[in-house]
Amino acid sequence: MHIEIVQNYEALSSKAASIVISQLILKPDSVLGLATGSTPEGLYQHLIKKYKEGLFTFKEAISFNLDEYLGLSAEHPNSYRYYMEEQLFKYIDIKTDNIHMPDGQATSSIEECLNYEDKIKKHGGIDLQILGIGRNGHIGFNEPDVDFKKGTHVVKLDAQTIEDNARFFDSLEEVPKEAISMGIKTIMSSKKIILLASGPAKAQILYDTIYGKITPKVPASVLQLHNDVTIICDEEAGALLINKQMEEKHV
Ligand code: GLP
């Protein structure tokens, strides 16, 4: 794992954007794995800015999002489809046909999962996957006690995730209890992964992800087994990593 601890959220967003931009300059038809949540918002802002300056284009890019709430339509303001439109897609030249998100309202969610996984494979897999991390170590919506072998599947959301995501809804009751998420197998098949973490609430879980035991109890810990992961965090999220690195220097 390559770990980059940068000063603040702005530096984190800019560093992540430069990795995505160089990916698209070198391979314009890259398959990007995209994430939601508040952490990648700054990255998307940077991408929009540099795209508008003419540095690169999304004309040939293909995107697959990590997850979607079950039961929410694409037009629902809390759906991840809506989030992606508002945070990124409506400002760039990605082709609508090249945008892929699990359909939270599919008649058969099981079939939707299989089709989604199939589509990713048909595009040759994900070149660059962007990840955030939940306070409980979830990536996508792969909650603690995840089965590492699963591809895209229906997941039940953890009580902590429902609580954490309630800030985007009018009430706790309105947060969907299930979602469709790429599985750990899908994520681990990506050629390159960037995980972003910001703020003090992520410090402990980030430490456990990098230095803890590889266990389904901390889903992100599986990333220790991937051969091309870059963790980008700000000083707050990286606080315990800094201590660990200092300790190692003094041994
Ligand atoms: C959400 C998403 C994850 C995201 C995580 C952290 O539930 N499904 O993909 O990484 O929570 O969100 P935030 O970046 O807002 O802390």
Side-chain angles (χ1 to χ4, degrees), residues 35-40 66-67 80 131-134 138-141 161 165 167-168 202:
T36 52
S38 41
T39 312
L66 276 168
D67 45 16
Y80 284 162
L131 295 175
I133 184 166
H138 77 214
I139 45 178
F141 268 135
T161 301
N165 290 357
R167 67 188 195 276
F168 300 111
K202 302 290 171 69

Side-chain angles (χ1 to χ4, degrees), residues 9-25 32 39-51 55-56 58 88 128 130 194 196 232:
Y9 180 67
E10 173 61 19
L12 171 157
S13 304
S14 152
K15 183 147 273 272
S18 42
I19 298 176
V20 177
I21 294 168
S22 79
Q23 174 74 35
L24 284 171
I25 288 176
L32 301 176
T39 312
E41 286 178 11
L43 155 66
Y44 296 147
Q45 288 296 316
H46 276 267
L47 290 178
I48 294 165
K49 184 165 175 278
K50 295 290 176 198
Y51 158 74
L55 180 62
F56 72 110
F58 289 87
L88 181 66
L128 175 61
I130 293 149
I194 321 176
L196 308 176
I232 309 174

